[in-house]
Amino acid sequence: MSLVDELAVRCRFPDRPTLDCAVSGGADSLALLVLACREGRPVTAVHVDHGIRPDSGDDAQVVAAAADRFGARFVGHRVRVEPGPNLEARARAARYAALPEGVLTGHTADDQAETVLLNLMRGAGIDGLAGIRRERRPLLDLRRSDTDALCEHLGLQPVVDSTNDDPIHRRNRVRAELVPLLDRIAERDVVPIIARQADHLRDVSEWLDVLAGAVDATRVSDLLAAPPPVARVALRRFIQEQTGADHPPSADALARSLDVVHGRIRSTELGRGW
């Protein structure tokens, strides 16, 4: 069995007639492209150039060459991201705005572990600790070492993004400092452990969503009768829908809202005038 076949067994590609893959040119996304092409369905490699690095235009050539080699269609987009604060987040938003709906990405188990740790540090709830959803991430059971090995095996030269080493980005410090420290403390590889916990918490989160769907959050009696975790999910969902916010209410705002439900206070501020 070839290395491609060995890794393909651990991938979970969706049951679709065609596969659109976001391909930056890095090892993870090139591996995604290769493994998607192995599926035997029409594949499109979609590349987005942010123009942040002076040589970023060369990345498209790497992706186009790989797409041609493995029989995929290539589509390139250029977006402009102005320098300034939150550059990484704004670049990500611009990238996803240019990508087709349902596009597959090359996130691995290492990305999953880093995401969970980042969400833990910012105080996320169960949804955040459940990490990255699997629906569009067929490589989530692979490691970065797997994608690196696949590129080396096939003679592919991945793009090296220098911003991935910049400690100004918190994810880079989690990758370079925190995960290795946890490995040393635990005396084992913690990435599979964290990724497995994320899967368990995703199951719990989705079940809570189902239970919360039966609760009418406009009725105090329903919220009081529901188990506290279910009531919190129902109320959080209701507040986010009513306010139109991109993110659910903070833990403090949700706690104060539950104080209103229980009659401990008459009203509370949710932010943005609500």
Side-chain angles (χ1 to χ4, degrees):
M1 182 182 293
S2 71
L3 180 59
V4 176
D5 293 332
E6 289 177 13
L7 297 182
V9 172
R10 293 157 52 197
C11 296
R12 303 187 190 184
F13 282 93
D15 184 14
R16 302 177 188 170
T18 61
L19 300 173
D20 293 329
C21 300
V23 188
S24 65
D28 294 345
S29 64
L30 288 176
L32 171 68
L33 173 61
V34 170
L35 292 163
C37 289
R38 182 193 175 280
E39 291 288 298
R41 290 172 264 171
V43 175
T44 299
V46 187
H47 176 76
V48 180
D49 177 12
H50 302 97
I52 296 175
R53 291 180 289 109
D55 59 347
S56 63
D58 298 337
D59 301 354
Q61 298 178 25
V62 172
V63 177
D68 181 66
R69 175 179 169 183
F70 296 101
R73 175 171 168 259
F74 171 76
V75 174
H77 299 285
R78 287 184 62 88
V79 297
R80 181 169 179 78
V81 182
E82 298 292 341
N86 301 319
L87 180 63
E88 187 178 23
R90 290 188 292 109
R92 186 186 310 110
R95 179 170 68 252
Y96 277 104
L99 291 169
E101 184 177 357
V103 69
L104 306 179
T105 65
H107 291 91
T108 65
D110 297 87
D111 295 300
Q112 179 72 293
E114 291 162 10
T115 298
V116 171
L117 290 171
L118 285 165
N119 289 344
L120 177 65
M121 288 190 292
R122 69 178 178 81
I126 191 171
D127 287 346
L129 298 182
I132 306 169
R133 290 185 176 273
R134 284 187 171 271
E135 286 81 354
R136 297 185 294 105
R137 285 90 181 184
L139 310 191
L140 215 54
D141 288 325
L142 300 187
R143 300 294 300 275
R144 282 201 191 101
S145 57
D146 293 320
T147 62
D148 287 339
L150 181 59
C151 288
E152 183 177 357
H153 174 72
L154 296 172
L156 294 170
Q157 295 294 321
V159 171
V160 178
D161 187 346
S162 57
T163 62
N164 288 338
D165 297 322
D166 191 340
I168 194 172
H169 301 303
R170 188 169 295 160
R171 179 179 288 271
N172 293 345
R173 294 196 65 187
V174 168
R175 178 182 305 149
E177 301 175 38
L178 180 56
V179 172
L181 175 61
L182 291 174
D183 286 346
R184 292 194 296 272
I185 293 172
E187 298 182 338
R188 62 188 299 187
D189 183 1
V190 300
V191 165
I193 300 169
I194 297 172
R196 185 167 61 247
Q197 293 302 317
D199 282 340
H200 294 331
L201 289 171
R202 176 64 60 195
D203 289 342
V204 174
S205 175
E206 291 176 352
W207 180 236
L208 283 174
D209 281 340
V210 171
L211 296 176
V215 176
D216 183 353
T218 67
R219 295 177 59 87
V220 168
S221 57
D222 275 23
L223 290 168
L224 292 176
V230 177
R232 283 195 295 271
V233 172
L235 188 56
R236 182 183 62 194
R237 177 192 293 172
F238 172 73
I239 291 172
Q240 186 173 5
E241 290 173 352
Q242 292 297 308
T243 60
D246 293 333
H247 302 287
S250 68
D252 286 344
L254 186 60
R256 294 194 305 272
S257 300
L258 286 167
D259 283 340
V260 175
V261 170
H262 285 271
R264 292 187 284 265
I265 57 176
R266 292 182 58 83
S267 63
T268 188
E269 172 70 33
L270 297 176
R272 291 173 39 181
W274 290 86

